[in-house]
Amino acid sequence: MAATGDERGYVRTWQLPGLTPSGSSAATRFQHRAVACSWSRDGKLLATTGDDGQVKLITVPEHKVRRVLRAEGAVLRGLALDPEGAFVAAAASDGGLWLWEAADGTHAHRARGLAAKVDHTSSESRQPLAWHPDGGTVLAVAGRENDVVLLERLSWQPLEHGGYLAGGHASSITALAFSPNGIYLASGDSDGKVAVWMVDKAVQVSWQQAPAGVTSIAWHPQNNALLLGCADGQYGLWVGPLAQQQQQQQQGGAAGSQLPSPWQPIDDVLKEADAAAADAVKVDEAGDDDDELAELEDEDADGDGGAPAVIKRRGLKSRAGAPAASSAGGAADSLAGLDDLLDDLDAAAGGAAAAAAADPAGRAAPRWRPAPPPPKPQAAVHPCSTPAPAAGCGAGGRFLAYNSLGCVVSKAVDDHHVVEVTFHDTAKHRARVPTLTDFYDFFAAALGPRGVAYISAAAGPQQPSMLVYRCFESWTPGSDWSVALPEGEEAAVVAAGSSVVAVATSRRLLRLYSHAGRQLAVLGLQGQPVAAATPDPGHLAEPGSSLAASRQHLLGLVWAAGPPVDGCGTQQLQYAVYDVSRAVQCCCGPLVLSPGASLAWLGFSREGLLAAMDSAGVLRLRSPEWGGAWVQHLDAPAARAAMGSEAPLWPAWLEGGSLMAVVNSSKAPHPQVSPRPLITPVPLGLPGAPADAAPGGALEEEGMRLALAAAAVAAAADAAEGADDAEALAADLAAQRTEADKAGLRLFNAYLKAGRQGRALEAVGALHHTRSIEGALKLANHHHLPSLAERISAFLEQRLHWEDQQQQQQALLAQQQHSHEWAAAGDDMQTQQDQHDASQATAADAPAAPKAGSGGSSGGGRQPGAAMFGAAAGRAGTAAASAAGQKRKPAGIDAALGSKAGGGGNPFARKKAAK
C-alpha cells in the first residue's frame, strides 16, 4: 500500500505495484494541505497529519478515522508511527517533539527545542522522523545542529552512547531512513548530501551527492541499494552504498573488512560475525594478521561481533512483507517508472564492487532520472465534432457538430473556410441555411433547435476569441449576432438549447445569452470548462410531448476539479445541470469515470438525464435516485465484441434504449464528411449479473432501465410549476410505468417458468398499476400455483385499500384548498366594499336621510351577504376537515356558492342589487 496527500488536504491510499486507488473515495481530508503520512507495520493503520495541527489514525482499507490527536498551537512538519503501533511521534516547525499513545490518544511526552526549527509557511520544509525497525527501540530526529538525535524509547532521552550522529551534514536534514535490519541509518540534507551511518558506532560509513535537496530515502528490502528522491523531481537508485571498499572510509574500523548486510536478519548477521571472528582466530594462530585479531577481540569485548548495541536488546524479524511508508504528496511521483530501475538492479549489483573500486573515494554513483511529467488536466471536449482533416478526417472537411437534427461541416477554401448546415429531415426544415464564410477559423459549433452557435480562438490582439450565433428563422432582420470576448479570455466550449446559448471560457466563466443576443447571466466555475451540452433537438421536436417541454431549458456542464489522479491518470471532473428558465442549479457532483479514463462525450437522454461516455467506452447516465448515482448503460468494447467488430464507436445522440453512433474503422477513428456516415443504433443495457444464472437476466436489466426512465419522468413531474404541466407529466409518468409493468410481467412469467416463486412475488411488489397485479394473479392461477396466487391476492387487497386512502386524502386536500380560495375571495370583496363605503362618506357634504325602499342604510349600505361570505367559506373549510375525506359536499359550500337550498341567495347578486 502507498499513501499520498495533496495541497487540497485530501489523503488517498493506493494498491501497489499498479497504484490503483484503494477505496472509492479519499481516506480523509484536512482543512489545509496534507503534510505527512506513516504506515503501521501490518499496513492496517495509517497516521497522517496536515497544516491544522491534527494527526488522524485511519484504518485501511475501511478508511475510518479511529482517533484524532491534536497538537495545540503547533504546525506539524513530520510524522512517524511506531512499528508496534503503540506510539505516534510528530515534529513541529518550532522544533518541538510530540508523542502520543496510539491506544487512547494520551500525551506520552513533549520536548521543546529538541528538533531543528523550520519555516512553517513554506510547503517545502520538512522535519523527518524515523523509528528503529526493531519494535521502535530508538526514534531518530533531525537535530538543531544539522545532526541526528537518537532517542531511547520510553525515556525519550538521547542514547547514553552514540546518541548524536554529527559531522556529516552542513545543512538541515530533510530525510531519514533506517535500514531493514536497523544496523544503518541513511540521512539526507537540503544541499543534496546523503550519508549512511552505522548506528552502533555512530560513524559515517558512506556518502553520496545528489543533484538537489533530498526529500525522501528508502532502503531496498532485499538488496544493498537506496532509492533517493530530490526536490527538483528527480529520483535515483544508489546501488552498493555499503561496498567492501567503503570500509576504508570508516573511522576506527579495520581496512578491507566486510560491512554487515543492511537487510539480512540480525540473527544471520551475528552468525556471520561469529564465523568471521573464528576465521580471524585461525589466522592469528598461523602468525598472520595479529592486529586484526586484536581489533576483533576489542569488538567482542564491546558486543557480539560488532553488531549495534541497539539490536542486541531485542531480536529482529524479517520485514520483507511490511508495507512501504510513503510521504505525503510525493509517493506516486517517486514510484513512477521505478520498475525500469529495479529491473536493472541485479545486473548493477554484480558490478557494484568494480564501480566502487574505480571511484577513488570508493563510492558507486547512482543513476539519476528525471521524474515523469505529471498528467495534464483534460482539454475541452466538443461532443460530436471531429479534428482537423490533418488528423485523419479526410479531405472533405470536418464536422463541427452532429446530432439528430443535422450536422455542421467546415471545409477549407483557399485562405478561409466555409461552414454549411445540413438537416437530416428536409421535409421539416425546408428553409436552407445560407453558407457562412468563416474568417475566424471556428473550431467548434453547437446545433440547436433554433440556430447554430460557433466559437473561435483568438489570433492576436486584433482578432479576439469570438462567439457567433445564426438563427434559422426570425421575424425581424438583424437576428444574427456575435460576441468578441475580452482580451485574454478564450472560448472553450459552447452549447445551444431552445432558450439559451452558453459559452464557457478560459477565465472559468459561464456566459449565458438569449437567442436574440441578450445577456442572461455570467456565472463562475470552479475549474476549467471541459464540455457543455443541451438536450438533443430531435427530442425537443416531439409534438405535444410534455416531457420534451419540461427539459427544453436544461444545460449540462463539466469542468476540471483538479489535476488527474497520479498513477492511474484518471481525470477529476465535476458536473452541473442548470434549468435556465428557473435560474436554478438542478444537481452537481463528481463525474464518474473508468480508471485512467477521460471524458469523451456528453449529452442528455430522452428523459432529460445527463449522460457521459468516457475514453474507455463506458456510457453512464445520472439517476435521480440513489442520491444522484451514475448508472452504467453501455460498455462499448463489449458491445463491439457482440457486434463482431473491433472498430471504435463514435457517439452521436441517445434515442430511447439505444445509443446512436457511427461505427468507424480502426484506421479512421473519426467519421469522414464524405460519404455521409451511417448511424447505427447500439442497444443499451445495464451490466447485470443474475443470481444462480437464472433465466430473466435480460428482463431484469430491462426492468431496471425502465425504472430509471420512470424515475426521471417522476422527478420532472415533481419539479413542474404549472398545474397543466404537472397533469401532462403525470400522464407521461403513467405511460412510462405501464411500459415498466409490461416488462415486469414478462419477468414474472420467466420466474414462474424457472420455479423461482419468491423472486416472482418480489416482482409483483414492483408493479405500479392494479391491473398489472391482476394480470400477475391470472398468470399464477394459469401455472397452478395456489400458494403464490393467495399471496398476490392479499397484496392486491392491500394495494386497493392504500389507493382508496390516497384518493380520500387527495379529495380532502382539494376541498380544503377550494375553501381557502373562496375565503380569500370573500375577504377581498369585503375590503373593496369597505373602501367604496369610505369613499362615498367622504364625498358627501352631509349625511343624507335614507329613502324608503332603498334597501340601504345610513351607515354606508353594508351588505350582510358580503360580510358573511368569508366566515361561511371558513366554516366550509372546517367542515371539510372534519369530514375526514367523505365525498359529500361539506356544509356551507352550497350557501357560499349561492344555492337556493341554502336560503342565503347569491352574494354577488345581492351586491349588484344594493349598488
Side-chain angles (χ1 to χ4, degrees):
M1 297 285 289
T4 60
D6 56 28
E7 294 290 337
R8 297 186 300 163
Y10 286 101
V11 177
R12 293 178 171 86
T13 58
W14 311 85
Q15 294 282 352
L16 294 178
L19 282 179
T20 57
S22 173
S24 58
S25 61
T28 187
R29 184 184 183 185
F30 294 97
Q31 295 181 356
H32 305 288
R33 74 180 187 95
V35 175
C37 298
S38 179
W39 286 99
S40 63
R41 178 174 293 179
D42 58 4
K44 297 181 179 180
L45 186 64
L46 174 66
T48 179
T49 183
D51 276 342
D52 54 3
Q54 292 185 357
V55 177
K56 297 182 181 181
L57 302 182
I58 304 168
T59 58
V60 179
E62 296 84 1
H63 288 176
K64 293 183 178 179
V65 179
R66 193 175 76 177
R67 195 169 305 282
V68 178
L69 312 176
R70 290 177 173 83
E72 300 296 340
V75 179
L76 303 181
R77 284 293 179 264
L79 184 67
L81 183 61
D82 177 14
E84 294 186 348
F87 295 99
V88 181
S93 60
D94 59 358
L97 180 65
W98 297 70
L99 288 115
W100 297 270
E101 293 187 10
D104 53 10
T106 59
H107 283 281
H109 182 71
R110 181 180 179 183
R112 301 179 183 273
L114 177 65
K117 294 183 179 181
V118 297
D119 183 8
H120 70 278
T121 62
S122 175
S123 61
E124 299 180 357
S125 60
R126 292 173 176 83
Q127 277 282 37
L129 299 171
W131 288 95
H132 196 279
D134 182 18
T137 54
V138 171
L139 174 63
V141 183
R144 296 179 297 175
E145 304 297 334
N146 300 331
D147 56 356
V148 180
V149 183
L150 302 179
L151 302 179
E152 187 178 15
R153 185 187 181 95
L154 299 180
S155 69
W156 311 119
Q157 299 297 321
L159 296 176
E160 184 177 355
H161 300 288
Y164 297 89
L165 306 180
H169 296 279
S171 60
S172 58
I173 296 177
T174 54
L176 293 172
F178 278 100
S179 63
N181 57 15
I183 296 179
Y184 303 99
L185 175 69
S187 59
D189 60 27
S190 58
D191 290 339
K193 181 180 179 180
V194 181
V196 179
W197 306 80
M198 180 172 279
V199 179
D200 182 53
K201 301 298 183 181
V203 294
Q204 176 182 319
V205 296
S206 180
W207 67 275
Q208 186 57 255
Q209 183 63 41
V214 180
T215 58
S216 58
I217 301 175
W219 289 84
H220 195 281
Q222 294 181 349
N223 280 285
N224 184 13
L226 279 173
L227 183 65
L228 311 175
C230 297
D232 61 354
Q234 298 189 72
Y235 59 93
L237 187 64
W238 182 9
V239 179
L242 301 174
Q244 180 177 355
Q245 288 79 3
Q246 295 168 348
Q247 181 65 19
Q248 300 173 1
Q249 307 298 324
Q250 180 180 355
Q251 300 177 5
S257 63
Q258 180 67 39
L259 289 174
S261 169
W263 58 272
Q264 287 182 339
I266 288 300
D267 293 340
D268 297 341
V269 173
L270 294 178
K271 290 179 181 179
E272 292 180 1
D274 292 340
D279 292 340
V281 170
K282 293 179 181 179
V283 172
D284 183 65
E285 290 177 353
D288 297 332
D289 208 354
D290 296 336
D291 296 337
E292 183 176 355
L293 177 59
E295 181 181 355
L296 288 175
E297 291 175 349
D298 293 340
E299 292 182 356
D300 290 339
D302 294 336
D304 296 336
V310 174
I311 306 300
K312 298 173 192 173
R313 298 195 188 103
R314 309 173 110 181
L316 177 67
K317 297 182 180 180
S318 175
R319 297 184 66 242
S326 303
S327 60
D333 291 340
S334 299
L335 290 169
L338 180 57
D339 294 337
D340 298 337
L341 287 175
L342 295 182
D343 290 340
D344 303 333
L345 180 60
D346 295 335
D359 188 352
R363 294 180 287 110
R367 293 174 298 164
W368 296 98
R369 292 189 179 182
K376 297 181 179 179
Q378 181 174 358
V381 176
H382 309 287
C384 301
S385 66
T386 58
C393 291
R398 57 175 298 201
F399 287 112
L400 297 181
Y402 197 105
N403 55 29
S404 63
L405 184 64
C407 60
V408 182
V409 177
S410 175
K411 298 181 179 180
V413 177
D414 298 332
D415 59 345
H416 62 278
H417 293 77
V418 293
V419 180
E420 300 177 352
V421 179
T422 305
F423 299 105
H424 300 317
D425 191 352
T426 56
K428 294 182 179 179
H429 302 274
R430 299 180 181 274
R432 179 180 178 273
V433 179
T435 301
L436 173 65
T437 302
D438 176 19
F439 293 101
Y440 299 111
D441 192 14
F442 299 124
F443 63 85
L447 183 60
R450 300 172 60 183
V452 57
Y454 308 90
I455 55 175
S456 67
Q462 302 300 326
Q463 185 176 334
S465 180
M466 297 293 298
L467 167 65
V468 178
Y469 184 75
R470 301 191 71 184
C471 293
F472 295 149
E473 297 178 358
S474 179
W475 60 274
T476 180
S479 58
D480 300 341
W481 50 271
S482 62
V483 176
L485 297 178
E487 184 178 356
E489 184 175 356
E490 295 280 345
V493 295
V494 65
S498 61
S499 61
V500 67
V501 178
V503 57
T505 69
S506 59
R507 288 190 175 178
R508 300 184 179 183
L509 295 177
L510 176 60
R511 299 182 178 273
L512 304 179
Y513 297 87
S514 68
H515 282 276
R518 181 173 61 91
Q519 296 188 69
L520 300 178
V522 181
L523 310 179
L525 303 177
Q526 297 178 355
Q528 291 296 331
V530 174
T534 54
D536 193 271
H539 299 158
L540 303 179
E542 299 173 2
S545 175
S546 58
L547 185 60
S550 66
R551 68 170 183 269
Q552 63 181 344
H553 305 291
L554 297 181
L555 170 65
L557 191 69
V558 173
W559 63 86
V565 178
D566 294 335
C568 60
T570 305
Q571 296 289 332
Q572 298 189 57
L573 305 178
Q574 291 277 337
Y575 74 91
V577 177
Y578 304 93
D579 189 337
V580 180
S581 63
R582 297 185 296 157
V584 297
Q585 185 184 78
C586 302
C587 57
C588 65
L591 185 67
V592 178
L593 299 174
S594 302
S598 57
L599 180 64
W601 178 84
L602 188 70
F604 282 91
S605 68
R606 178 187 175 276
E607 295 78 19
L609 300 178
L610 185 65
M613 190 172 186
D614 57 30
S615 57
V618 178
L619 175 68
R620 299 178 179 87
L621 273 70
R622 185 194 178 276
S623 170
E625 299 178 322
W626 305 103
W630 287 85
V631 182
Q632 178 177 328
H633 278 66
L634 177 65
D635 187 352
R640 293 198 303 265
M643 297 169 59
S645 172
E646 297 181 356
L649 296 179
W650 189 72
W653 70 88
L654 290 173
E655 186 67 39
S658 301
L659 171 67
M660 312 305 291
V662 178
V663 181
N664 301 307
S665 64
S666 57
K667 298 182 179 179
H670 303 283
Q672 299 181 359
V673 172
S674 182
R676 187 65 60 87
L678 178 63
I679 298 294
T680 302
V682 181
L684 301 180
L686 277 68
D692 304 327
L699 294 174
E700 290 178 350
E701 298 174 17
E702 181 185 7
M704 289 188 292
R705 184 174 55 81
L706 292 175
L708 177 63
V713 180
D718 294 340
E721 295 182 349
D724 296 339
D725 294 342
E727 292 179 0
L729 286 172
D732 288 345
L733 178 59
Q736 191 70 41
R737 287 178 173 174
T738 300
E739 294 297 325
D741 283 1
K742 292 179 180 179
L745 287 175
R746 292 193 295 268
L747 179 62
F748 175 80
N749 193 36
Y751 283 151
L752 294 184
K753 293 181 179 179
R756 301 288 184 175
Q757 299 184 25
R759 299 182 189 177
L761 183 61
E762 292 178 352
V764 173
L767 299 177
H768 300 88
H769 302 299
T770 55
R771 294 184 59 185
S772 303
I773 302 176
E774 293 172 354
L777 180 60
K778 293 180 181 179
L779 286 174
N781 292 323
H782 174 75
H783 287 273
H784 305 289
L785 300 172
S787 178
L788 178 61
E790 181 180 355
R791 285 172 171 78
I792 296 176
S793 178
F795 177 75
L796 179 60
E797 292 180 0
Q798 294 178 1
R799 176 65 67 86
L800 292 174
H801 178 66
W802 177 81
E803 289 182 354
D804 289 342
Q805 290 181 342
Q806 294 294 318
Q807 292 178 358
Q808 293 176 5
Q809 292 179 3
Q810 292 178 1
L812 177 61
L813 292 176
Q815 292 173 358
Q816 290 178 350
Q817 182 179 2
H818 185 69
S819 300
H820 289 307
E821 290 177 354
W822 276 99
D827 293 339
D828 292 342
M829 184 184 301
Q830 182 63 50
T831 302
Q832 294 177 2
Q833 183 65 36
D834 292 342
Q835 292 177 355
H836 178 71
D837 294 344
S839 61
Q840 287 183 346
T842 303
D845 294 336
K851 297 181 180 179
S854 63
S857 65
S858 60
R862 185 180 182 88
Q863 304 297 324
M868 298 173 60
F869 188 84
R875 288 193 299 272
T878 305
S882 62
Q886 298 181 5
K887 295 184 178 181
R888 64 180 182 84
K889 187 175 297 185
I893 292 295
D894 292 336
L897 294 176
S899 174
K900 294 182 179 180
N906 192 335
F908 292 100
R910 292 198 305 272
K911 178 180 178 181
K912 184 175 180 182
K915 289 185 177 180

